Structures are given as C-alpha cells and as structure tokens.
Amino acid sequence: MSDRAVLHVKGRVLVGPDDVRDELWVVGGRISYERPAGARDIRTVEGWALPGLVDAHCHVGLDAHGPVPDDVSEKQALTDREAGTLLIRDAGSPSDTRWIDDRADLPKIIRAGRHIARTRRYIRNYAHEIEPDDLVAYVAQEARRGDGWVKLVGDWIDRETGDLSACWPREAVAAAIAEAHRLGARVTAHCFAEDSLRDLVEAGIDCVEHATGLTEETIPLFASRGVAIVPTLVNIATFPQLAAGGETKFPRWSAHMRALHERRYDTVRAAYDAGVPVYVGTDAGGSLAHGLVAGEVAELVTAGIPPVEALSATAWGARRWLGRPGLDEGAPADLVVYEGDPRADVRVLAAPRRVVLNGRVVG
C-alpha cells in the first residue's frame, strides 16, 4: 500500500467484546469510522477484526543462553507479528532492542529493562545478579531504562535447601518497589513458589508472572490489592520435563515443580473467580518458541476462564491494562483479521487472515 492508500476493513470489527461494528477505515496509518471523502486507492480486507494481540510476557533479544544478535531478535519479533501479536510487554531482556522502535513493520514493545536477580539464583547470562543492599539502586536503574516496568526474580531454586525459595527480604523489596513507583514504573516478579507472594504483594507489587504458587490464603490478597497475574501456562506445561531433569540432584524441587504443574489450571481458575486480573503471556524467548499467543489463550480457556474473558486478556483488557489503545478513533491501525468470530471459538486466533500494523498489511 502507498502512503495515500486507504484500507477498508469490513465484516465485523470487534471494538470491544460487545461493541461490534460493520467496518473501519485506515487513513494515514490511523483508524477512522467515517469513510474518507474522495478516497480512490482503496484496499479491502474482510473478516472479524480484533485489536492487535498482546503478549504480556515475552522476551525479544533473548534465548536459552542469554542475549542474541539483532538479526535473531528481528526473527523473534517477526514470528510474534505473524501470530498476530502486535504489542509485547518484554518481561526482561539483557539486549538493547530500542532499534525496533524505529521499525514500523515490527511489533511495539513495552520494556521492563533487564531482570534483577539474587546472586546465582537465576538463569546464567539473563539478569543483573546482586545482593539485597543493591536492590533499590538497580531497580532505579532499570526503571529509567525501561518503558514503565521493572522485573524482579522473586524466587528460584536454593541449592542449599534443594527447593524453590524467596530471593529477597521483605524490607528490601518494599524499598525497591517504593523507589520504582516514585520513578513512575510498575513492578512485576517471576514467582513459581508460594513463600515470596505475600511479602511481594504487601510491599506493593503490581503484577506477578507465572503465579503457580497462589493458594487460598494468598488469592484473596491479590484480589483485594488488584495485583495482576500472567500465568504463562504454555511455559508451565514444561514443568514435568524440568522436574525429570533435576530429579536426581534436587528431588524436593522436582516434586514441588510437579505439584505446581498438577494444580495449574485450578490455581488460575481460582484466581480468576476471586477477581484477580489475568493476562496472556507466553514467556517466549527463553527456551520457548515465539508465536505462541493463540496457544496461551486456549490454555486459559482450558483452565476455565470464559472464552470472551480469555480473549480480552490478550486484546481489549490487556491493552487497557498496559495503557495502549485498541480500535479507537484516531488510534494507530494495529489489528488482526480472522475468518471467524474469536469470541465463539478462540482457536481461530491460530490462523490470522491478515495482520495490519501501523495501517499497513504486513501479513
């Protein structure tokens, strides 16, 4: 399409779960619900249109071994784009991916800076590995580097005890979260186990990743404080394999990981039923492939979340949570068009008919 071309999206435009319109127009890369006067160079796309999908836990610029070159980061971002993911909350990366912001053909990224972990308590080459006395300073640094988010590693395996345990003293995380908030950033944390959750929530954390350790004691606390979770169920599916690999050396950890996996769907459904905000994230970019957003939505449905709510967790609700527009008048035209109604069957998300980014058909 030329810069002067007009894109006409017709069929069913899902501005919201119950706000369905017959068409929209894209003029100069932005959405309009009024036909542009005198438009001649018009391309028409038909189907069911959704706002560009959100992957709220994704790592561009990272693989299983650490940072990757820019050409690999580009392939990761393109894979996500082809799956319909047009907005990414990058939940920690050691790579500088700011160059992606200058590419109108790549998804938009909201960065959380680099992971902040306890010394020798996370995956090698991923994080700043520090001790509690330095936590406030590093949180301030990453708050300034990121796009309104900071990522902590809240728990990890403790080799002395042979099991998952909290990484930070309560006083340290409280001071660090307060500093992030002072600088205008929200804080999220990687948490698999149970014992770090109460301290993090009572310290004012905004979100928890994975959250497999939620219990009937901590779920009400999350709900009352409005703390969101991003369950990454496509990643939690790997727990049995991880547990098998560590069985000989860390049997307690292996048993714990299996137990967290076995109750994963019940945990997510209980959190949703209690009113905890739930959003879609895949954890792509570590050991997981990119482009899994449709699979994660399907997993939320399997966990018992109603399909429209699971859809909102990657569309309208997720964009609102991250402060980014959907299919609003004058907003950048980032949308995905499908053959059928994704509210009726979320499996249609796995096969986008067209992907439109910044007003251009890119897939």
Side-chain angles (χ1 to χ4, degrees):
M1 291 176 62
S2 70
D3 291 337
R4 295 182 179 180
V6 171
L7 182 65
H8 183 203
V9 180
K10 59 184 294 188
R12 310 301 295 168
V13 178
L14 297 170
V15 181
D18 300 311
D19 182 358
V20 185
R21 308 186 193 182
D22 294 330
E23 61 184 357
L24 65 75
W25 302 84
V26 178
V27 184
R30 295 190 174 269
I31 291 169
S32 174
Y33 289 96
E34 294 186 12
R35 181 186 177 98
R40 293 182 180 179
D41 184 5
I42 299 175
R43 177 175 179 177
T44 300
V45 172
E46 296 189 52
W48 293 79
L50 269 180
L53 304 186
V54 175
D55 187 339
H57 186 132
C58 186
H59 304 279
V60 175
L62 183 69
D63 69 7
H65 306 289
V68 299
D70 288 353
D71 64 323
V72 177
S73 297
E74 179 185 38
K75 290 176 183 177
Q76 293 174 339
L78 286 170
T79 299
D80 288 319
R81 187 193 77 182
E82 292 306 300
T85 296
L86 303 184
L87 179 61
I88 290 169
R89 186 184 60 149
D90 193 322
S93 176
S95 296
D96 181 359
T97 60
R98 289 288 174 190
W99 58 271
I100 289 177
D101 295 349
D102 298 325
R103 289 275 300 269
D105 62 328
L106 295 179
K108 297 174 172 69
I109 300 183
I110 298 170
R111 297 169 184 82
R114 188 173 186 175
H115 305 76
I116 303 172
R118 191 78 178 263
T119 307
R120 298 187 66 198
R121 295 285 301 278
Y122 200 48
I123 303 167
R124 186 178 299 175
N125 301 322
Y126 275 32
H128 295 298
E129 297 190 21
I130 62 168
E131 289 302 295
D133 287 348
D134 294 322
L135 184 58
V136 170
Y138 273 83
V139 163
Q141 171 185 298
E142 296 310 299
R144 294 185 176 102
R145 288 186 63 239
D147 299 314
W149 283 90
V150 175
K151 170 74 175 293
L152 306 180
V153 177
D155 64 29
W156 198 249
I157 188 169
D158 182 333
R159 289 168 177 80
E160 292 185 4
T161 64
D163 199 1
L164 297 165
S165 69
C167 291
W168 310 103
R170 180 183 178 116
E171 298 76 13
V173 293
I177 291 169
E179 178 67 1
H181 289 169
R182 186 184 71 81
L183 295 170
R186 289 187 277 183
V187 182
T188 192
H190 161 105
C191 294
F192 284 160
E194 298 85 354
D195 62 351
S196 66
L197 295 178
R198 179 171 293 277
D199 283 353
L200 288 167
V201 173
E202 291 182 346
I205 203 160
D206 303 282
C207 180
V208 169
E209 312 300 311
H210 319 301
T212 42
L214 281 170
T215 65
E216 61 183 12
E217 287 79 29
T218 50
I219 285 172
L221 183 62
F222 272 63
S224 66
R225 303 285 182 101
V227 178
I229 64 170
V230 181
T232 67
L233 288 168
V234 291
N235 178 32
I236 307 311
T238 68
F239 277 18
Q241 179 183 353
L242 296 174
E247 183 76 56
T248 302
K249 193 172 183 180
F250 300 115
R252 285 182 59 195
W253 173 83
S254 293
H256 197 172
M257 294 290 279
R258 288 193 181 96
L260 294 171
H261 174 264
E262 287 170 4
R263 69 175 192 252
R264 67 198 187 281
Y265 292 140
D266 290 339
T267 300
V268 172
R269 178 56 192 260
Y272 169 79
D273 286 345
V276 176
V278 180
Y279 297 104
V280 165
T282 65
D283 207 0
S287 57
L288 259 66
H290 285 256
L292 301 178
V293 67
E296 181 64 17
V297 176
E299 279 285 271
L300 292 182
V301 173
T302 299
I305 293 181
V308 171
E309 294 300 318
L311 193 59
S312 183
T314 193
W316 317 287
R319 285 181 165 271
R320 185 166 56 249
W321 178 55
L322 293 174
R324 297 299 175 93
L327 301 180
D328 306 322
E329 180 74 30
D334 297 343
L335 56 97
V336 192
V337 180
Y338 299 95
E339 295 279 354
D341 185 353
R343 299 171 304 174
D345 186 352
V346 299
R347 290 176 297 180
V348 305
L349 298 180
R353 174 186 276 185
R354 290 287 183 268
V355 178
V356 179
L357 181 58
N358 292 307
R360 292 178 176 269
V361 178
V362 293

